[in-house]
Amino acid sequence: MRKLFCLFLFVGTLTSGFGQYAGQASTNMSAGGGEGASGAIYDLMGPISERNKKNDNMYSDFQGSPYITDTFLPTTMYYGDENMGNIFYRYNALNEEIEIKKANIEEATIQSLSRDKKISIITGGKKMSFKTFTTSKKKTLNGYLTTIIDGKTYDLYKRNYVKFTEGKPAPNSFVKAVPSRFTQFTEYYFQKEGVNRMDEIKLKNSHLIKLMDGNEKAELKQYLKENELNIKNEADLIKVFDYLNS
């Protein structure tokens, strides 16, 4: 197991960095960024070993953060069902990259977890792992999803990601400059048993009803109405999928 764990770290170091997988560029760059963005953001997107050589405060003037949490948190890592031990992690949601340490001390080496779909970590009591999914705009992407419900008929997933928007200098002394910023977003995906794809759920009751099959449409419509649920609220979305799995 020790050899396998070391392999995760080694492979992760080699495969880290922006643009690692298909679809990532279109996911992570906003209309304000894109290929025309300044060099500032790309300085944040190299391999972890390269980023660590740069000034840690280089984006201190930016609003927001590329990380869901800036601090390293304890977690347990699995390979399939095998417990690989405890590590510390933080999720770079701009790069869709999990950074890990063996020990939560400043001098510990930061490495990138390999994007192997059999690897998962525990976050908030739920499993987070690398998946392939289809957005509401019919784009097939790869990234990290957290399993909210592992049901007998439907699985429900949550995706946290970050977009970067390039700032704008002040055109004159009467107008303030617009700082560069990171903005966090959340999406939800589901997978039906026997269907080899994960699809995004637009957070509208009517959209979710359209995604259902046959008699499920009418039953779900009635359930939503009777219980006054709105799937824009995560708690209501979970109730709906608990109902669908009942």
Side-chain angles (χ1 to χ4, degrees), residues 38-46 48 50-52 54-72 90-95 97 99 110 162 164-166 179-184:
S38 72
I41 188 61
Y42 289 103
D43 285 341
L44 306 177
M45 294 181 172
I48 288 176
E50 292 299 318
R51 289 204 303 274
N52 288 345
K54 303 179 186 295
N55 186 346
D56 289 339
N57 296 319
M58 65 180 300
Y59 53 83
S60 60
D61 292 334
F62 291 4
Q63 291 183 348
S65 171
Y67 297 97
I68 299 301
T69 59
D70 291 326
T71 57
F72 281 83
R90 66 180 178 183
Y91 177 42
N92 186 325
L94 179 72
N95 289 353
E97 179 177 50
E99 301 177 7
I110 302 174
V162 168
F164 172 77
T165 304
E166 187 77 12
S180 296
R181 68 180 183 272
F182 299 103
T183 307
Q184 292 190 17

Side-chain angles (χ1 to χ4, degrees), residues 6-245:
C6 291
L7 178 61
F8 292 156
L9 302 184
F10 176 72
V11 173
T13 301
L14 292 179
T15 60
S16 63
F18 184 74
Q20 173 65 31
Y21 55 86
Q24 183 170 336
S26 63
T27 299
N28 289 331
M29 298 304 291
S30 69
E35 294 181 0
S38 72
I41 188 61
Y42 289 103
D43 285 341
L44 306 177
M45 294 181 172
I48 288 176
S49 59
E50 292 299 318
R51 289 204 303 274
N52 288 345
K53 296 176 184 178
K54 303 179 186 295
N55 186 346
D56 289 339
N57 296 319
M58 65 180 300
Y59 53 83
S60 60
D61 292 334
F62 291 4
Q63 291 183 348
S65 171
Y67 297 97
I68 299 301
T69 59
D70 291 326
T71 57
F72 281 83
L73 302 175
T75 189
T76 303
M77 184 175 72
Y78 290 85
Y79 191 78
D81 294 327
E82 184 177 1
N83 185 327
M84 302 302 298
N86 298 324
I87 55 172
F88 294 87
Y89 85 101
R90 66 180 178 183
Y91 177 42
N92 186 325
L94 179 72
N95 289 353
E96 300 223 38
E97 179 177 50
I98 294 177
E99 301 177 7
I100 57 176
K101 288 182 177 183
K102 291 183 180 179
N104 195 17
I105 53 178
E106 187 174 351
E107 58 268 27
T109 302
I110 302 174
Q111 295 175 289
S112 173
L113 194 62
S114 174
R115 290 178 175 126
D116 184 327
K117 292 182 178 180
K118 291 185 178 181
I119 299 174
S120 62
I121 63 170
I122 303 301
T123 172
K126 304 291 186 180
K127 280 192 173 183
M128 181 180 186
S129 57
F130 196 67
K131 304 284 189 182
T132 299
F133 47 88
T134 303
T135 71
S136 60
K137 295 181 179 179
K138 307 302 181 184
K139 291 184 178 180
T140 299
L141 304 176
N142 297 297
Y144 282 97
L145 300 182
T146 299
T147 304
I148 299 178
I149 294 177
D150 185 0
K152 65 179 182 180
T153 305
Y154 290 96
D155 297 335
L156 179 64
Y157 300 90
K158 182 177 183 177
R159 179 189 180 213
N160 293 313
Y161 68 101
V162 168
K163 288 186 177 182
F164 172 77
T165 304
E166 187 77 12
K168 297 180 180 179
N172 55 60
S173 59
F174 299 101
V175 179
K176 290 184 178 180
V178 177
S180 296
R181 68 180 183 272
F182 299 103
T183 307
Q184 292 190 17
F185 296 90
T186 302
E187 293 175 343
Y188 295 89
Y189 291 81
F190 82 102
Q191 183 173 20
K192 187 173 183 178
E193 183 182 15
V195 178
N196 188 29
R197 59 181 282 163
M198 299 178 186
D199 290 293
E200 183 182 357
I201 304 167
K202 287 185 178 180
L203 297 182
K204 293 181 179 180
N205 289 2
S206 58
H207 179 259
L208 181 58
I209 291 169
K210 289 179 181 179
L211 295 175
M212 296 296 104
D213 298 324
N215 294 335
E216 286 182 326
K217 293 180 185 291
E219 293 173 1
L220 178 57
K221 184 177 182 179
Q222 182 177 356
Y223 176 77
L224 289 165
K225 183 178 180 180
E226 288 179 352
N227 292 276
E228 299 180 347
L229 299 178
N230 186 338
I231 65 169
K232 286 183 178 180
N233 302 314
E234 183 177 295
D236 285 357
L237 182 63
I238 291 173
K239 286 179 183 178
V240 168
F241 274 86
D242 283 339
Y243 165 76
L244 292 171
N245 282 312

